[in-house]
């Protein structure tokens, strides 16, 4: 899984934050609150995200309505998994990662490991 480009990430961030399907026009209107962008640019990038499997779409009237195919958490987990898999020293990579995280992130990791262990034991 490849990392999202800047506009791809902006579009996905909005769809994930809103928690609902949206049209390219709705996304453009929201982005335009921060900076001007053409509708055709947002539509093209949404179509690219669709072709990459990041979005599904269906027609409502004349407009395509886009929905993420995975959650933000699932996308981030896939990036993390790919980063680990691309390095021959997984343990070393994990140790380096752990040396960089905050105490709060370490606590969240411990909690996630406990939850995962409980699921695998069930």
């Amino acid at each position: 899984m490849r990392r999202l480009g800047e506009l791809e990430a902006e579009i996905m961030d909005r769809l994930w934050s809103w928690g609902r399907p949206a049209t390219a026009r709705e996304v453009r209107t929201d982005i335009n609150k921060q900076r001007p962008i053409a509708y055709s640019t947002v539509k093209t990038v949404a179509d690219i995200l669709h072709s990459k499997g990041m979005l599904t779409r269906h027609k409502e009237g004349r407009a395509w309505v886009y929905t993420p195919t995975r959650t933000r958490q699932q996308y981030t987990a896939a990036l993390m998994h790919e980063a680990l898999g691309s390095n021959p020293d997984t343990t070393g990579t994990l140790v380096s990662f752990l040396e960089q995280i905050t105490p709060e992130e370490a606590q969240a990791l411990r909690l996630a490991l406990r939850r995962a262990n409980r699921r695998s034991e069930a």
Side-chain angles (χ1 to χ4, degrees):
M1 167 154 303
R2 137 183 153 2
R3 205 170 158 84
L4 296 172
E6 185 180 333
L7 184 53
E8 290 174 329
E10 280 189 79
I11 291 169
M12 294 303 297
D13 282 341
R14 279 165 174 79
L15 292 171
W16 283 323
S17 296
W18 294 341
R20 63 171 175 77
T23 64
R25 190 162 310 283
E26 290 175 285
V27 173
R28 175 193 177 257
T29 298
D30 199 57
I31 292 173
N32 271 334
K33 293 175 185 175
Q34 297 173 337
R35 63 182 175 91
I37 190 164
Y39 166 78
S40 60
T41 302
V42 174
K43 176 76 172 83
T44 297
V45 174
D47 288 340
I48 290 168
L49 287 165
H50 173 260
S51 69
K52 290 180 177 180
M54 293 292 297
L55 297 174
T56 60
R57 68 182 184 188
H58 69 275
K59 279 272 196 181
E60 283 187 12
R62 295 178 54 199
W64 287 109
V65 179
Y66 297 92
T67 305
T69 58
R70 59 182 65 191
T71 65
R72 182 189 315 260
Q73 293 79 5
Q74 290 169 329
Y75 168 72
T76 303
L79 287 176
M80 293 167 66
H81 190 264
E82 183 178 313
L84 282 176
S86 67
N87 191 312
D89 182 9
T90 303
T91 301
T93 302
L94 287 169
V95 168
S96 293
F97 173 74
L98 293 172
E99 291 171 347
Q100 297 176 41
I101 65 175
T102 66
E104 294 80 15
E105 292 166 334
Q107 181 59 33
L109 181 57
R110 282 190 285 278
L111 178 62
L113 287 169
R114 280 197 296 275
R115 285 183 185 168
N117 283 336
R118 279 190 222 128
R119 287 184 190 148
S120 66
E121 292 171 358

